[in-house]
Amino acid sequence: PWCRQADGRKVLRSSIREFLCSEAMFHLGIPTTRAGTCVTSDSTVIRDVFYDGNPKKERCTVVLRIASTFIRFGSFEIFKPPDEYTGRKGPSQDRNDIRIQMLDYVISTFYPEIQEAYSDNTVQRNAAFFREITKRTARLVAEWQCVGFCHGVLNTDNMSIVGLTIDYGPFGFMDRYDPEHVCNGSDNAGRYAYNKQPEICKWNLGKLAEALVPELPLEISQLILEEEYDAEFEKHYLQKMRKKLGLIQLELEEDSKLVSELLETMHLTAGDFTNIFYLLSSFSVGIDPSKFEDFLEELTSQCASVEELKVVFKPQMDPRQLSMMLMLAQSNPQLLALIGTKASINKELERIEQSSKLQQLTADDLVSRNKRHWKEWLEKYRVRLQKEIESVGNADAWNTERVKVMNSNNPKYILRNYIAQNAIEAAENGDFSEVRNVLKLLEHPFQEAEGFQEVKEDAEEEGATATAAVCSQETRSKQSYCSKPPLWASELCVT
């Protein structure tokens, strides 16, 4: 009776992650379901956490999820006709009467202004509804991209009909910026990678459009999708990025290029996505040379070290396995498609190449190279900020407002995987204080939470990672939840 022939039970590990992340997203200002309670028990179920043949007992847990509705895009796919490849069909095929009921309910309940405006024309009403959910979805995924949030499984059943973030499974916030970051350890093909999220959400809207036929003809919905989605995403994404960069006075065409060059610099230097944005508010146009060098030092401290990069680019395949797959790619690509993908082979070849280069790279060479990249981008940023100053009467007032806007759009704290893991491990041992501790932290993502005390980590275990300059003085003596993650965090896998 349950999905994938499972037992329908949720466990403590995944429940804590959902509980914390849905609240984290809410306090970041991103549309989401909420978490009311998290209740665990002594009942256990068997779970193979990493699908590697090593199952273990985990405690059953219930999360109280709160939202205006849990209807999804996939809810409308119960009407699907037989699939041309699998022959599978929806359980309510040909029941257009139910589809009409569902549309009437969704629009009148959650989009009453649309119901009122088009009460005498059903097709126009349905088109207006589809236009609105298209825009909401585009804005939602733009918000995700701007905080480095990766959902992990963006199928139609995990897309809310009212534009909320829904179903927190193998999610993850990016640490080191990587446009191809995959947060789901079982997403071998990278279908739901960070940079693919906008396109996959658009694809899901296309599937919703198909499920609304005949109540909304496909030629109407497809035109809406092409007209609205990309434009709304780009507009919202750039508006948010301007705020993150403190570009509050002017909207220039060149801003999009400045953002893409920032991300490229982050990628080249393996910079921490959250902390670099947070640091930029302390950069100013008139910064003197000595302070600029200090700032550059802080910025490059948020880039991955040689040791971290060696972990990132460590080859994952057995050399004989890779050799066999390369031969298969030449001799029998059809068979290769059944056991692996070309993308995974290319990724492994890139790891081998990068790993080889890292053997020759010294820490000093890496820092020097990173500083050069950041100097180039900061000069462009300085020029852009200068244009802001030239357009205002009071530069000091502008700068005060710029810093305020940046600090309310660039979080200091996000739910990094290792922070969640610390809370989970304590809870699995019966101590829920760290879950409450982290929850309090995430309720104030843009500033130091009043009275918050972070868990002190073992300095040796953390690999002596330099504490981030963005952290407050009282947390400098230990690994802080606003610093780069410790080395062991890169080994965490979420499926």
Side-chain angles (χ1 to χ4, degrees):
W2 306 105
C3 181
R4 297 186 299 275
Q5 290 76 52
D7 52 29
R9 305 304 295 269
K10 195 167 172 68
V11 297
L12 183 59
R13 164 178 46 88
S14 58
S15 299
I16 286 174
R17 284 174 56 82
E18 173 160 6
F19 177 81
L20 290 174
C21 195
S22 51
E23 289 304 286
M25 293 289 270
F26 172 77
H27 290 286
L28 285 168
I30 298 173
T32 179
T33 57
R34 299 291 301 276
T37 60
C38 183
V39 182
T40 193
S41 72
D42 292 328
S43 302
T44 59
V45 286
I46 301 292
R47 289 288 183 269
D48 187 348
V49 181
F50 302 117
Y51 307 114
D52 61 359
N54 293 294
K56 68 171 187 174
K57 287 184 177 181
E58 296 194 68
R59 291 166 70 183
C60 297
T61 306
V62 174
V63 174
L64 172 61
R65 299 166 167 175
I66 304 169
S68 56
T69 181
F70 286 90
I71 296 176
R72 302 111 185 285
F73 292 8
S75 304
F76 284 88
E77 292 186 296
I78 61 173
F79 311 110
K80 285 186 76 167
D83 184 271
E84 61 177 308
Y85 299 109
T86 65
R88 291 181 178 178
K89 61 183 180 180
S92 298
Q93 183 196 5
D94 298 328
R95 290 298 305 272
N96 197 48
D97 57 319
I98 303 177
R99 178 169 20 224
I100 291 169
Q101 274 187 296
M102 282 179 64
L103 271 169
D104 287 348
Y105 170 74
V106 166
I107 297 172
S108 63
T109 308
F110 308 110
Y111 299 87
E113 67 289 346
I114 290 175
Q115 178 67 38
E116 190 176 342
Y118 300 97
S119 57
D120 57 346
N121 189 316
T122 305
V123 172
Q124 283 187 3
R125 181 201 68 169
N126 296 345
F129 153 69
F130 186 74
R131 188 182 302 275
E132 178 60 22
I133 188 55
T134 294
K135 287 185 170 185
R136 287 192 191 187
T137 302
R139 291 194 294 268
L140 177 67
V141 70
E143 291 280 347
W144 292 350
Q145 301 302 97
C146 288
V147 293
F149 174 78
C150 303
H151 185 285
V153 187
L154 283 171
N155 54 38
T156 52
D157 206 38
N158 287 341
M159 300 288 294
S160 164
I161 205 71
V162 290
L164 302 174
T165 312
I166 198 168
D167 272 34
Y168 291 90
F171 69 84
F173 285 88
M174 272 195 306
D175 295 319
R176 172 183 58 86
Y177 177 72
D178 175 8
E180 296 180 354
H181 174 71
V182 177
C183 67
N184 179 358
S186 49
D187 181 10
N188 298 320
R191 177 176 172 83
Y192 304 120
Y194 168 78
N195 62 352
K196 292 181 181 175
Q197 290 188 140
E199 193 57 35
I200 204 71
C201 287
K202 184 180 182 181
W203 187 88
N204 286 331
L205 281 161
K207 290 298 164 186
L208 173 62
E210 291 174 12
L212 297 180
V213 177
E215 293 310 298
L216 179 61
L218 207 53
E219 58 269 22
I220 296 176
S221 57
Q222 285 181 335
L223 184 61
I224 291 170
L225 190 55
E226 289 308 315
E227 284 178 347
E228 301 288 357
Y229 184 85
D230 293 336
E232 189 70 15
F233 172 82
E234 293 296 340
K235 175 186 165 188
H236 195 79
Y237 177 79
L238 194 51
Q239 282 177 344
K240 186 74 175 178
M241 279 295 183
R242 282 192 178 107
K243 289 177 182 176
K244 288 174 75 69
L245 291 175
L247 308 179
I248 57 174
Q249 198 65 28
L250 304 172
E251 293 186 1
L252 304 179
E253 281 188 24
E254 67 201 50
D255 293 345
S256 180
K257 186 181 179 186
L258 184 71
V259 170
S260 63
E261 287 175 341
L262 167 62
L263 297 178
E264 179 61 22
T265 304
M266 260 192 224
H267 191 204
L268 284 170
T269 61
D272 187 275
F273 184 82
T274 300
N275 288 352
I276 282 178
F277 270 112
Y278 188 84
L279 264 176
L280 287 175
S281 64
S282 58
F283 178 78
S284 64
V285 174
I287 192 167
D288 67 52
S290 63
K291 286 187 177 178
F292 178 75
E293 284 304 316
D294 291 343
F295 179 79
L296 207 54
E297 199 73 41
E298 291 178 1
L299 207 57
T300 51
S301 77
Q302 295 308 315
C303 301
S305 65
V306 174
E307 289 71 27
E308 289 172 285
L309 292 174
K310 283 179 179 177
V311 173
V312 170
F313 292 108
K314 181 182 176 182
Q316 296 178 0
M317 288 185 190
D318 181 278
R320 289 171 297 178
Q321 179 193 5
L322 178 62
S323 178
M324 182 193 76
M325 293 183 80
L326 287 170
M327 285 191 290
L328 270 179
Q330 295 294 322
S331 62
N332 196 336
Q334 290 82 10
L335 179 58
L336 177 67
L338 296 175
I339 61 172
T341 65
K342 188 176 179 182
S344 64
I345 295 174
N346 290 339
K347 200 80 176 171
E348 184 66 7
L349 292 172
E350 183 191 347
R351 284 192 203 101
I352 292 169
E353 182 184 357
Q354 293 293 340
S355 182
S356 176
K357 287 179 181 177
L358 286 167
Q359 303 308 315
Q360 317 300 323
L361 188 66
T362 68
D364 287 344
D365 287 342
L366 179 63
V367 170
S368 176
R369 188 179 73 187
N370 288 345
K371 282 186 177 180
R372 187 173 69 253
H373 286 308
W374 280 111
K375 273 182 181 177
E376 288 174 7
W377 184 81
L378 286 170
E379 185 51 42
K380 294 171 185 174
Y381 185 40
R382 190 203 301 269
V383 169
R384 177 61 182 86
L385 290 177
Q386 187 63 47
K387 290 178 181 178
E388 291 272 302
I389 292 173
E390 290 167 0
S391 70
V392 298
N394 187 327
D396 289 339
W398 163 82
N399 193 56
T400 301
E401 182 62 20
R402 174 183 79 96
V403 172
K404 182 181 174 184
V405 168
M406 291 179 77
N407 286 345
S408 60
N409 283 277
N410 292 316
K412 181 174 186 176
Y413 299 106
I414 53 169
L415 184 62
R416 298 179 189 264
N417 274 339
Y418 87 95
I419 297 176
Q421 190 62 27
N422 281 340
I424 289 164
E425 288 177 5
E428 287 179 333
N429 290 317
D431 178 7
F432 284 83
S433 62
E434 181 61 0
V435 176
R436 297 189 187 96
N437 210 22
V438 173
L439 177 62
K440 186 175 181 180
L441 172 81
L442 297 172
E443 286 172 350
H444 303 274
F446 301 104
Q447 75 229 18
E448 195 81 59
E450 188 179 339
F452 175 74
Q453 294 295 317
E454 293 181 18
V455 171
K456 185 166 183 176
E457 302 285 355
D458 186 308
E460 289 183 337
E461 185 180 322
E462 305 311 2
T465 307
T467 306
V470 297
C471 299
S472 56
Q473 283 294 327
E474 64 266 26
T475 61
R476 284 183 181 272
S477 61
K478 63 178 184 286
Q479 179 72 39
S480 168
Y481 282 170
C482 63
S483 65
K484 276 197 310 176
L487 202 54
W488 61 265
S490 60
E491 301 290 345
L492 289 172
C493 178
V494 183
T495 61

